[in-house]
Amino acid sequence: MNKTLQRNDTREHLLAIGEQVCLQRGFTGMGLIEMLALAEVTKGSFYHYFGSKEAFGVALIERYFAHFQQQIDQQLNLPGLPPRERLLAHFRYGERLFIEQGHIVGCLGVKLSAEVCDLSEPMRDALQQGANAIIAAYTRCLTEVAAEQPLPFSQTPQQLAQRCYLLWLGASLQSKISRVPGPISLALDTIEQWLISH
């Protein structure tokens, strides 16, 4: 096997296992020894790929947001739907997943947002960069919406994108705490009201 390919496969395997453990226990609760046992990778190999647990955390966040960004880009570029409906379909998908699963599914951003911001500046920065990328995707879609209808509150597409992101993140955290879909359903209702054609 090509050594570069093998290296990338091992690194990806570590990140995939790490994300699973982190989603269950949080970053501070993720024991490195336990995670490496699950991954069947030695401690020496781990430090070959990552200089520290913090560096591993940064890589986890970057990987999560890269995958999430791909999903968002697919949802916001669906053919045959107006931009308003594409954006609403994205949020409706999140609500449907919560209702079907009974919890926030696989959202490392929600899981780590409050946990690591005071513990690690590099991880905080990775979270912020991920949030910025999502807001930029919403902005692109809302720019298309704005070409078809006025945006509420006389906002720019970027301002409304940030408002949508902050509302959804806060609602997701509250739904995670309460384990009921009410907060994200309310957030979805609010976003739908914002995007009603006038």
Side-chain angles (χ1 to χ4, degrees):
M1 179 184 284
N2 182 288
K3 286 186 177 180
T4 302
L5 181 61
Q6 185 177 12
R7 183 183 191 282
N8 289 339
D9 286 348
T10 302
R11 185 178 188 277
E12 173 62 21
H13 177 63
L14 281 165
L15 289 168
I17 296 296
E19 182 173 330
Q20 292 173 18
V21 176
C22 199
L23 284 168
Q24 293 171 357
R25 302 191 181 181
F27 185 73
T28 54
M30 179 181 68
L32 196 56
I33 300 300
E34 177 193 11
M35 189 208 61
L36 292 175
L38 286 171
E40 299 181 343
V41 175
T42 66
K43 196 171 183 178
S45 293
F46 174 86
Y47 285 111
H48 176 71
Y49 299 112
F50 306 100
S52 64
K53 185 181 177 184
E54 181 182 54
F56 181 68
V58 170
L60 273 178
I61 293 167
E62 290 174 345
R63 174 183 179 273
Y64 163 74
F65 277 109
H67 290 175
F68 190 42
Q69 188 68 47
Q70 288 178 346
Q71 180 183 8
I72 290 174
D73 287 343
Q74 287 176 354
Q75 292 170 341
L76 297 187
N77 291 289
L78 285 172
L81 286 177
R84 173 186 178 273
E85 288 304 316
R86 297 197 305 264
L87 185 59
L88 290 175
H90 161 70
F91 290 114
R92 288 172 184 148
Y93 174 76
E95 180 196 39
R96 187 170 69 252
L97 271 186
F98 186 97
I99 291 170
E100 290 172 356
Q101 302 291 331
H103 57 90
I104 301 294
V105 179
C107 189
L108 202 63
V110 171
K111 182 77 173 181
L112 297 184
S113 288
E115 182 188 355
V116 302
C117 287
D118 294 331
L119 299 176
S120 167
E121 186 65 15
M123 290 178 71
R124 184 207 61 77
D125 185 61
L127 285 164
Q128 184 61 60
Q129 293 304 315
N132 290 345
I134 294 171
I135 292 168
Y138 293 170
T139 299
R140 289 190 293 273
C141 191
L142 284 165
T143 299
E144 294 183 56
V145 174
E148 298 180 354
Q149 66 181 68
L151 298 180
F153 320 118
S154 301
Q155 292 185 107
T156 66
Q158 185 175 20
Q159 289 169 332
L160 186 57
Q162 187 171 29
R163 187 180 289 236
C164 289
Y165 178 78
L166 293 175
L167 175 64
W168 194 257
L169 177 62
S172 297
L173 284 167
Q174 188 56 45
S175 279
K176 181 176 178 59
I177 292 167
S178 64
R179 296 186 179 176
V180 296
I184 54 176
S185 296
L186 181 60
L188 176 58
D189 288 345
T190 301
I191 294 170
E192 287 176 337
Q193 288 297 315
W194 289 345
L195 295 179
I196 287 176
S197 298
H198 298 289

